[in-house]
Amino acid sequence: MQPSLERTDPDRFRRLLALGTLLTISACAGVMSEDSRFAGPASIPGASRVGDVACESCHPAESAAFGQTAHARVSSNRLVDGERCESCHGEGSRHVQLQGRRDQIRRFGASTEPAAIEAPIAIVGYRDLEPFARSRASGFCLDCHSGAALFEWPASGHERAGLSCVDCHDPMRPATKLLRAPVTELCASCHSEIRAKLQLPSHHPVEEGRVRCVDCHDPHGSSIAALVRAPSSLELCLGCHSEKAGPFLFEHPPVTESCALCHEPHGTVSDFLTREPDPFLCLGCHAGHQGPLSPLTDVLLNASKRATFLSRCTACHSSIHGTDLASPSGHGRFTR
Amino acid sequence: MIALFTLLAHTTTLTSSMSESATAAFDLRFDLSVGYSLATLEGSETLVGEHEPFSSRPRLEGTLGLETGWLRIAADGRLSDERVYAGSVGAELGRVARVDLEASRSLHRLDHDPLGYLGFAGVAGLDVLDRDPGRAYSVERGRLGPSLRVDLPAVGPVSDLRLSARYHSETREGHEQARTITHCGSCHVEAATRPIDQLTQELTIGLEGRVSGRLGLAAELSARALDERGRAPELLEAFEPPLLANLISVRGRLPFGVTNDNQRTRVLTRASYRGPAGVDAGLTYQWARAQSSESGLAATSQLFGARLSVRPSATLQAKAHYRLEDTRSVVPAAVDRFNHGAGLDADLGLGRFLRLSGGYAFQRLTRDNVLLFRRSGDTAAGQLFIDERGRQSEARNEMRLNASVWHPAHLRGRIGYRLVLLDGPLSTLARQTSFAPSSGSRPHPDTLGILPSLSSVPSHLHELSLDVGGTVARELAVHPRYLLRASGGSTSERDGVDQALGGVVTWTPTSWLGAAGSCQFLRNRIRTRLYYGQVGGLTSSDGFVDVDEVSYLGFAHAGMISAWILPIDRLTLRGEASWVRGASEFTSSGQSEPDVGALSAIGADLRRAQLSIEGRATANLAIGAVGNFSQVLDLPTRRRDGRAVSFWVYLRLLEVGSP
């Protein structure tokens, strides 16, 4: 099949125009609606603040753990000294009066329609959040955590999958970055098939502790797919494998596009993290050698060339990532 | 050793309890383990311990924290060998400035290819020459990375000002096997030892801030340089037979492949706007230039991205994005690229327990200066080939649908479907599969000789994912997952199916007993009727033969289980085990292995186990032991390639904090 030679799609601008119009309408509609994304915990009707000391009297373990977190050391408009618990959980006087009745703990972001409220609210909890409440909970965190590291969260795959900050971080847990588990275990708890790949014979040494998931992926968002921690996947790989960066006089085109065209970075059965073993990976794009090279070589090698040409292409094309040296024939065949 | 250990750290939280935070003047916490490690190894170090030192020697690891109110220092690390250590140290001054230093060194054992599978080995006059047979290759990678972060006071409407600087240095030292071709280009392969001595340095300076609380701005400038200090080996004995000197054109000494020094400069700017009603917009622009300092070759790239998300109501969210990438090169015969695309997503909440989302994205990838066809040239005039170069373009349409369900007590699940349609497909769909690219050979046969052009691929791809998690009973939670990717197309008569099935089960019946297990089955199969040049060449040397069916099958299953028990107070027992089998096989119209090559079926069976015991003598002292076992079997032969057993006995000192 011949590839299309058209560089631009004639309908492209019409599609973009329609898209822009739709977004503009949505944005206007959004501006006119309530500011739901960054809403904090709802105020508890009829309740007032009681202070951290009152909370600690019934929740000593939680208070002790929280005291070792970064949140216990920060002062801000939201995290007020002496009232840190109620900064996120709402005013606690009714919760104290009711002696912590569990049926009056409302999940953060739960529907506020009267019919949906199961019981009078005494305090706000953050466990088992409803699907849409999860993104609102993230918005609550983003009110303070507004640095550049979180710029892309609203467009991230994790946010689109319905995850929120509290799925991975526990504000009450005295651990590095408030993580609920060590980072590799945390990622593997959802991406179990990726962890399986990391056990395969050829793999990046994540299980060995040499590389972490977050060295390559930014769970808080990225401008490209797979939460890659770089503006492009190629840049990510070349950050460590800079010897393959080039530019080379003789370039192997896929190397300048994406390493993932040939490599599965988590793990594979074949060597060098290649998606298929050599030579079948190469035969996916190249027709390879066919027919006799010359009458002489045909006579000499017909019996043995099968094994040769169906062994590893990279045994001969060893500089497959690119080279400045020409092959003996003068062409760039990556043989040196 | 101790001095080194104190450099090893990481950022952890170190303070006294909340009620004490206002008065505590000094807080020291540490958790140190020191002991001796014993290891025995049979077989291949590379296969059984690619990244492990396997040496019997003292070992040290732990964490250390110190806080004096305005100053916090945190460190952790491990030292298991002079070639394998890792850690960092960080200091924070009054939550205004933070300095971190990371240092690590790791070992990577490299393969030594005996090249014995090359079919011409042993043929008189045609040979494979390994100048260092049996040599073990490895590379040691050392990293050093200091960083500085300073939070600056607000200036007018600009708040959250932060200045950051990072330096990253990485050395790669060791030896690897280098290969090259001499003489006529397909019959003589020489392998030699190439020293590796590379230094990569990168400096990044960034500044970010927020204007009026809504608009975030960030800029970053980075420069990276690779310095290759190793010298590539040279061929010292050129083969120039007097009688065939005209046919076999070899002239003088020829070097093995070299790694040239290169530099890269990058400027990245980003902006983020958070408006009312959940309006969130972002812009990204990057300019980058890469250059090879020895050849002077350079490539420049630009990237622009924009996104917008709005939330018109509490249960509706819409998102849009646009992205453009442009890469231009001054390298002769290099491919220039221009890619751009846009997309729209919408999330809708239905009731309290169901969320639906859908999206559409369009992308066009354009490559210029691509080698489209190669024809035979006028050999008498010294022109072996005539290349035709031009433009290739692919349009990609992608649609996706997801549904998330949730129940507060028992269920949390997601099902997703994705469809990708390609017009004029290039090889980019390869990225969609996990094991193998769903790309295919170009239907022959209008090209002679070696064909270095990219080929067509399937025109569509379906992807189905199912992810369910829930609590079956109070002490038992299950989390099964299924992922299916299927690709195909009438043009190429090629289809691929990539599946992953697995799950995680956790069982915690009491506070002193728990277990977790996971199992995954991965399977990838590709079938095609496409012409494979080499395979066809095998069946008929004078023509191009379609093969009825060429298939590739890759599979793996990985099982892991872990358990822990506290039979008595102050005693902990843990056990972990994993069993992984993976293999791939290539078949062609029922031909046997000798016809399709000795490497047509490869695989490995990996088994690992770990058992640990730790007892607390006092609140600050514990003693423990850890035993590890690992074994590698080759598949399909089931030959044992390696086995390793190691023990570590240690004394643990810990102090969790003082008032």
Side-chain angles (χ1 to χ4, degrees), chain A residues 30 151 159 235 275 283 289 324, chain B residues 260 277 307 433 435 441 534:
Chain A
F151 276 7
E159 201 278 344
E235 284 190 39
R275 291 177 180 274
L283 292 172
H289 300 272
D324 290 343
Chain B
N260 285 338
R307 61 169 179 81
T433 55
F435 259 128
S441 284
Q534 185 55 48

Side-chain angles (χ1 to χ4, degrees), chain A residues 49-62:
Chain A
R49 296 206 170 196
V50 295
D52 292 337
V53 176
C55 304
E56 190 177 0
S57 62
C58 292
H59 303 281
E62 288 83 355

Side-chain angles (χ1 to χ4, degrees), chain B residues 248-299:
Chain B
I248 304 174
S249 56
V250 179
R251 298 291 183 268
R253 296 183 175 187
L254 292 171
F256 283 66
V258 296
T259 300
N260 285 338
D261 295 350
N262 61 61
Q263 292 92 37
R264 175 179 157 277
T265 307
R266 186 185 74 159
V267 178
L268 173 66
T269 58
R270 295 191 292 156
S272 170
Y273 174 74
R274 288 176 186 156
V279 174
D280 199 305
L283 291 174
T284 301
Y285 174 75
Q286 175 182 283
W287 177 91
R289 180 179 175 84
Q291 185 169 2
S292 172
S293 56
E294 295 185 17
S295 64
L297 301 172

Side-chain angles (χ1 to χ4, degrees), chain A residues 125-194:
Chain A
Y126 287 82
R127 289 181 181 169
D128 297 327
L129 301 182
E130 292 178 10
F132 255 95
R134 311 178 79 79
S135 60
R136 294 183 67 192
S138 299
F140 180 42
C141 302
L142 291 173
D143 258 1
C144 296
H145 298 275
S146 56
L150 290 162
F151 276 7
E152 299 298 329
W153 169 259
S156 70
H158 276 161
E159 201 278 344
R160 191 165 60 203
L163 296 184
S164 70
C165 304
V166 294
D167 285 308
C168 301
H169 302 277
D170 182 351
M172 308 292 293
R173 184 182 168 83
T176 303
K177 306 283 186 186
L178 306 174
L179 290 175
R180 291 183 180 274
V183 68
T184 302
E185 289 180 26
L186 192 63
C187 300
S189 64
C190 287
H191 302 280
S192 50
E193 81 282 6
I194 299 298

Side-chain angles (χ1 to χ4, degrees), chain A residues 7 12 30 33 67 128 151 159 176 192 197 210 231 235 256-257 275 283-284 289 306 308 318 324 336, chain B residues 10 16 51 119 179 181 260 277 286 307 312 319 323 337 340 367 406 433-435 440-441 520 534 538:
Chain A
R7 180 170 181 153
R12 178 167 59 98
S33 70
D128 297 327
F151 276 7
E159 201 278 344
T176 303
S192 50
K197 289 180 184 179
R210 307 288 187 268
E235 284 190 39
T256 63
E257 189 161 284
R275 291 177 180 274
L283 292 172
H289 300 272
R306 297 179 181 182
T308 298
S318 54
D324 290 343
R336 66 178 78 251
Chain B
H10 91 119
S16 53
H51 301 277
R179 298 183 298 273
I181 283 186
N260 285 338
Q286 175 182 283
R307 61 169 179 81
K319 300 177 184 175
R323 184 177 171 90
R337 290 181 173 81
H340 70 126
R367 297 170 179 166
W406 173 88
T433 55
S434 62
F435 259 128
S441 284
Q520 286 285 332
Q534 185 55 48
L538 289 173

